[in-house]
Amino acid sequence: MMRSVVEYLDITAKKYPTKVCYRDEKTALTFEDVYNQSRLAGSFLLGEGLCREAVAVYMSKTPSELAAFIAVLQAGCFYVPIDDEMPSKRIELIFDNLKPRAVICDEETRENASKFAGSAKVYSWDEIKNSAINEEALTQVQKTRIDTDLAYIMYTSGSTGIPKGVAVCHRSLIDYIESFCDVMKFDEETIFGSQTPFYFDASLKDIYPTLKCGCETVIVPHSLFMFPIKLTEFLNEYKINTLCWVVSALTMISAFGVLDENPPKYLKIVGFGGEVFPIKQYKRWKKALPDVRYINLYGPTETTGVSMYYEVDRDFEKDEAIPLGKAFENVDIFLLDEDNKLSTEGEICMRGTAVTMGYYNDFGRTSEAFVQNPLNDKYPEIIYRTGDLARINERGEMVFVSRKDFQIKHMGHRVELGEIEADVNSIEGVSASCAVYLKKKDRIELYYEGGPEEGDLTNMLKERLPRYMVPTKVNKMDKLPLTPNGKLDRKGLTALSEK
């Protein structure tokens, strides 16, 4: 019985010792490198008296940061990714909630890590990865560890502005890895192109399947996502055949016509998630790369990332949405209406091993989202309420509708902002859109990029939408702002409208 994700590395390091595990433009670490460095650094952390506690890893996005994550796990602790890309205030709030005793940094982050660490000790990765090995201590960790010990904490945005630290144990992570690898059919020939920062759960799609299957993860430079042609050139240079990216990163490539000029020719699998993939953009990918497997991936951080999948197996009309699909093994997903009854339309709820341990050092907000299953009044059973709304279509497939937060009451009618966006995204030339609601002014505003001019778009929407759903104002932008993990910056656009 596997009790730790570290056991994946124990196997692959013996099977593929000299094969590249994690790499970027400057550095390539083999499985043996990751194994040795993580055990040496893990021995050091154990020697510092750290045990089953949080260790902040404040490093640049490099292969070394991934090795540092594994080192923390070798020591029986759990890691928390921190990055200079995060706003300073967010880092402060995370450290305030976390209160770690140890922080691992690199030369680029040492100064800032020391500034935020407070009373915590700051250790240089280059120094601790060359420590002395302590086989006895490492073996003892493996013997005494249980699978509900924490593996990592991933901080997500909170509605109050205070980040929530989602605490994930080894059992949930192992279940996720096994199901995800089975669904996606990864093997030792898989080469990932890593897109998202490591402090977002989407990065798990690359990090851990690599350890299980003997894959290779190539870290794509963040700067390339501003230059689509250079980006696809990079994918081809490293023969990247698998992408598990947020939708906005994929649409950036298709919206600029790069798929016709210089397509990523080695691709075999494209997994996408984070937001609804506009059918128009999906069709461009499918036309340019018809033999690629396209898989919609859905799941919040609170259920260990991906919990549902749908392999696109048919054509879709412009006004349709690609379904969320079906649950992973060992996950039960259902819809609850406003009366907590099973329904064909309602809030997505989940139960099973995928449901994480809750929010770190925050029992109040944990109790609001991780609740007793209202369908079970016989014994304790925790489910997670996602806040996402979905419906079952005529084919019996679950389809995302909107966020619960995006469901508004306007002019006496219930309106899903996501439905407005889906309609706008289907208009020729529009590459992305975002609808926001200004509650104090009781008005809907729309931001979009590409497509017709503002007045023309407004007239088109008057013909396509009910009067109460037509935005009061539309704003054309050269480029919609994105959050650090590549999703639409809805909060930023709302603040822009409120000025």
Side-chain angles (χ1 to χ4, degrees), residues 27 99 156 187 210 250 334 341 357 492:
T27 307
K99 297 178 175 58
T156 66
D187 58 27
T210 292
L250 296 173
F334 50 95
K341 304 294 183 184
M357 310 293 275

Side-chain angles (χ1 to χ4, degrees), residues 30-131:
T30 65
F31 283 94
E32 190 172 59
D33 290 334
V34 176
Y35 179 82
N36 290 334
Q37 290 181 17
S38 66
R39 286 172 62 80
L40 290 168
S43 296
F44 175 87
L45 297 174
L46 285 167
E48 292 294 289
L50 297 167
C51 176
R52 295 182 66 223
E53 60 188 278
V55 176
V57 179
Y58 194 153
M59 296 174 65
S60 307
K61 187 182 179 183
T62 63
S64 292
E65 184 177 13
L66 296 175
F69 292 165
I70 309 302
V72 174
L73 300 180
Q74 295 276 20
C77 295
F78 46 97
Y79 67 87
V80 187
I82 309 288
D83 193 293
D84 271 340
E85 286 186 7
M86 294 177 171
S88 296
K89 184 61 178 178
R90 181 178 176 83
I91 297 174
E92 288 176 8
L93 291 169
I94 289 173
F95 270 96
D96 184 58
N97 174 257
L98 195 64
K99 297 178 175 58
R101 292 199 299 146
V103 180
I104 300 174
C105 70
D106 55 31
E107 287 309 305
E108 290 185 17
T109 62
R110 182 192 291 271
E111 183 178 344
N112 280 342
S114 300
K115 181 175 70 175
F116 290 109
S119 61
K121 289 187 177 180
V122 178
Y123 303 107
S124 166
W125 172 250
D126 286 337
E127 294 171 6
I128 68 173
K129 74 175 183 180
N130 294 310
S131 306

Side-chain angles (χ1 to χ4, degrees), residues 239-388:
K239 298 182 178 179
I240 290 167
N241 57 34
T242 304
L243 303 180
C244 294
W245 286 5
V246 295
V247 167
S248 56
L250 296 173
T251 57
M252 182 200 66
I253 293 176
S254 55
F256 283 90
V258 179
L259 291 173
D260 299 322
E261 299 174 20
N262 186 35
K265 59 187 178 182
Y266 294 98
L267 280 188
K268 295 179 180 178
I269 301 173
V270 172
F272 52 90
E275 293 173 295
V276 176
F277 201 167
I279 293 297
K280 182 174 54 185
Q281 300 298 335
Y282 160 72
K283 284 177 178 288
R284 290 178 180 176
W285 276 89
K286 183 66 176 176
K287 181 180 179 181
L289 300 166
D291 297 327
V292 168
R293 293 173 61 214
Y294 296 93
I295 304 172
N296 191 12
L297 302 170
Y298 168 82
T301 307
E302 286 85 347
T303 59
T304 326
V306 180
S307 310
M308 298 183 74
Y309 71 98
Y310 177 82
E311 184 158 357
V312 186
D313 59 358
R314 67 176 193 272
D315 198 20
F316 287 86
E317 297 300 322
K318 285 185 178 181
D319 59 349
E320 287 187 281
I322 297 174
L324 299 179
K326 55 187 178 181
F328 276 8
E329 288 291 324
N330 206 29
V331 182
D332 183 29
I333 300 178
F334 50 95
L335 304 180
L336 291 179
D337 63 18
E338 293 178 354
D339 297 319
N340 282 331
K341 304 294 183 184
L342 279 177
S343 176
T344 57
E345 186 166 354
E347 182 179 6
I348 302 175
C349 298
M350 302 188 185
R351 69 185 186 101
T353 304
V355 176
T356 56
M357 310 293 275
Y359 300 123
Y360 189 78
N361 198 20
D362 194 341
F363 289 98
R365 287 196 288 184
T366 296
S367 64
E368 293 172 4
F370 297 81
V371 301
Q372 171 65 25
N373 185 354
L375 305 177
N376 173 12
D377 60 0
K378 298 298 187 293
Y379 59 88
E381 181 185 35
I382 297 298
I383 66 169
Y384 175 68
R385 306 192 70 127
T386 66
D388 288 336

Side-chain angles (χ1 to χ4, degrees), residues 188-261:
E188 69 277 6
E189 301 299 321
T190 298
I191 303 177
F192 293 104
S194 176
Q195 174 245 330
T196 53
F198 294 149
Y199 56 87
F200 286 107
D201 68 307
S203 63
L204 300 175
K205 300 180 182 74
D206 310 326
I207 297 171
Y208 289 105
T210 292
L211 294 187
K212 171 179 164 55
C213 302
C215 308
E216 178 181 331
T217 289
V218 181
I219 297 173
V220 181
H222 179 69
S223 60
L224 293 186
F225 287 93
M226 299 295 290
F227 305 99
I229 294 177
K230 291 183 178 180
L231 175 57
T232 55
E233 287 175 349
F234 181 91
L235 299 180
N236 287 332
E237 178 184 353
Y238 287 91
K239 298 182 178 179
I240 290 167
N241 57 34
T242 304
L243 303 180
C244 294
W245 286 5
V246 295
V247 167
S248 56
L250 296 173
T251 57
M252 182 200 66
I253 293 176
S254 55
F256 283 90
V258 179
L259 291 173
D260 299 322
E261 299 174 20

